[in-house]
Amino acid sequence: MEVNVSAYRDIKKYLDEQKVQLIAVSKTKPVSDILDLYNLGQRDFGENYVQELVDKATQLPKDIRWHFIGHLQTNKVKQITPFVQLIHGVDSLKLLKEINKQGGKAGRVIDCLLQVHIAQEETKFGLDEEELKLTLGEVKNSTMNNVRVCGLMGMASFSDDMEKVRNEFRLLKKLFENHTGLTILSMGMSSDYKIAVEEGSTMVRIGSLLFGERLIN
Ligand SMILES: *Cc1c(COP(=O)(O)O)cnc(C)c1O
């Protein structure tokens, strides 16, 4: 499978105009595909699996900014600490505390997004509205110096009903605006990124449109 260069150029142009950041989601794709986009100027890549991120980060150019967008287990934080630019899917205070701890050990401040559950489906991870409020409150009152909550991340329902998808993004945008100090709103994937941008996304995570369909996941 080869990367879709013209799709990349079109999407990048559109997102630049809208001042939205593109994360190229390279999970399950080989390093050669990542290098193809790297050579076109792409620097932000997203991965879902800890071992895969570590393997790729050690093989690829050091100026790549790695985004961890998958579900992160507390006991695996340590492995990605040296490589990760932004952790998108933080869904508990416990996880945030562990990231803070590992950030401290590594002598760095790790940027994170809190994942909010906006889809009607049961399967998606994330905090609900109330849990988000509580978590942000606890972050404010805590002394975590090695982690920084920069914004929110969410995934809309996997649905053909684009009004439903739009309403879910709209809800996330509203939550984003309700809380001060947040600057990054990570929402939008291959199937719905334009709707996400229309609803105020600042960062989209796009995989299959750039790298082709994945066989798994
Ligand atoms: C896989 C994945 C994406 C990219 O999905 P595509 O539909 O291939 O664009 C975006 N965000 C998350 C959290 C993912 O797991």
Side-chain angles (χ1 to χ4, degrees), residues 25 27 48 69 153 155 189-190 205-208 214:
V25 177
K27 62 183 173 203
N48 286 52
I69 64 170
M153 180 269 217
M155 291 164 86
M189 310 175 26
S190 289
R205 311 173 308 271
I206 298 183
S208 41
R214 292 174 298 273

Coordinates of all heavy atoms in Angstrom, one line a residue, residues 25 27 48 69 153 155 189-190 205-208 214, ligand 1:
V25 N -2.4 9.6 11.2 CA -2.5 8.4 12.0 C -1.9 7.2 11.3 O -2.5 6.7 10.3 CB -3.9 8.1 12.4 CG1 -4.0 6.8 13.2 CG2 -4.5 9.3 13.2
K27 N -0.9 4.1 12.6 CA -1.0 2.8 13.3 C -1.1 1.7 12.2 O -1.8 1.9 11.2 CB -2.1 2.8 14.2 CG -3.5 3.0 13.5 CD -4.6 3.0 14.5 CE -5.9 3.3 13.9 NZ -6.9 3.9 14.8
N48 N -1.5 4.3 18.1 CA -2.4 3.7 19.1 C -1.8 2.7 20.0 O -2.4 2.4 21.1 CB -3.6 3.0 18.4 CG -4.6 4.0 17.8 OD1 -4.2 4.9 17.0 ND2 -5.8 3.9 18.2
I69 N -2.6 8.3 20.6 CA -4.0 8.5 20.5 C -4.9 7.4 20.9 O -6.1 7.4 20.9 CB -4.4 8.9 19.0 CG1 -4.2 7.8 18.0 CG2 -3.7 10.2 18.6 CD1 -4.7 8.0 16.7
M153 N -10.2 15.8 23.8 CA -10.2 14.9 22.6 C -11.5 14.1 22.6 O -12.0 13.7 23.7 CB -9.0 13.9 22.6 CG -8.9 13.0 21.5 SD -9.8 11.4 21.8 CE -8.6 10.3 21.0
M155 N -14.3 11.3 20.1 CA -14.6 10.6 18.9 C -16.1 10.5 18.7 O -16.8 10.1 19.7 CB -14.1 9.1 18.9 CG -12.6 9.1 18.8 SD -12.0 7.5 19.4 CE -12.1 6.6 17.8
M189 N -11.8 12.6 12.2 CA -11.1 11.5 11.6 C -11.4 11.4 10.1 O -12.0 12.4 9.6 CB -11.4 10.1 12.3 CG -11.4 10.2 13.8 SD -11.9 8.8 14.7 CE -11.7 7.4 13.7
S190 N -10.9 10.4 9.4 CA -11.1 10.4 7.9 C -12.6 10.6 7.5 O -12.8 11.4 6.6 CB -10.7 9.0 7.4 OG -9.2 8.9 7.5
R205 N -7.3 13.9 13.4 CA -6.5 12.7 13.4 C -6.9 11.9 12.2 O -7.9 11.2 12.2 CB -6.6 11.9 14.7 CG -6.5 12.8 16.0 CD -6.9 12.0 17.2 NE -8.2 11.3 17.1 CZ -9.3 11.9 17.4 NH1 -9.4 13.1 18.0 NH2 -10.4 11.2 17.2
I206 N -6.1 11.9 11.1 CA -6.5 11.2 9.9 C -5.6 10.1 9.5 O -4.4 10.3 9.4 CB -6.6 12.2 8.8 CG1 -7.7 13.3 9.1 CG2 -7.0 11.6 7.4 CD1 -8.0 14.3 8.0
G207 N -6.2 8.9 9.4 CA -5.4 7.7 9.0 C -5.7 7.2 7.6 O -4.9 7.5 6.6
S208 N -6.8 6.6 7.4 CA -7.0 5.8 6.2 C -7.1 6.7 4.9 O -6.7 6.2 3.9 CB -8.3 5.0 6.3 OG -9.3 5.7 7.0
R214 N -6.9 0.1 6.7 CA -6.2 -0.8 7.5 C -6.8 -2.2 7.5 O -8.1 -2.3 7.5 CB -6.1 -0.3 8.9 CG -5.2 0.9 9.1 CD -5.3 1.4 10.6 NE -6.6 1.8 11.0 CZ -7.2 3.0 10.8 NH1 -6.5 3.9 10.2 NH2 -8.4 3.2 11.1
Ligands
LIG1 C1 -7.4 5.0 14.1 C2 -7.8 6.3 14.7 C3 -7.9 7.5 14.0 C4 -7.8 7.5 12.5 O1 -8.9 6.8 11.9 P1 -9.2 6.9 10.3 O2 -10.6 6.6 10.2 O3 -8.3 5.9 9.7 O4 -8.9 8.3 9.9 C5 -8.2 8.6 14.7 N1 -8.3 8.7 16.0 C6 -8.2 7.6 16.8 C7 -8.4 7.7 18.2 C8 -7.9 6.4 16.2 O5 -7.8 5.3 16.9

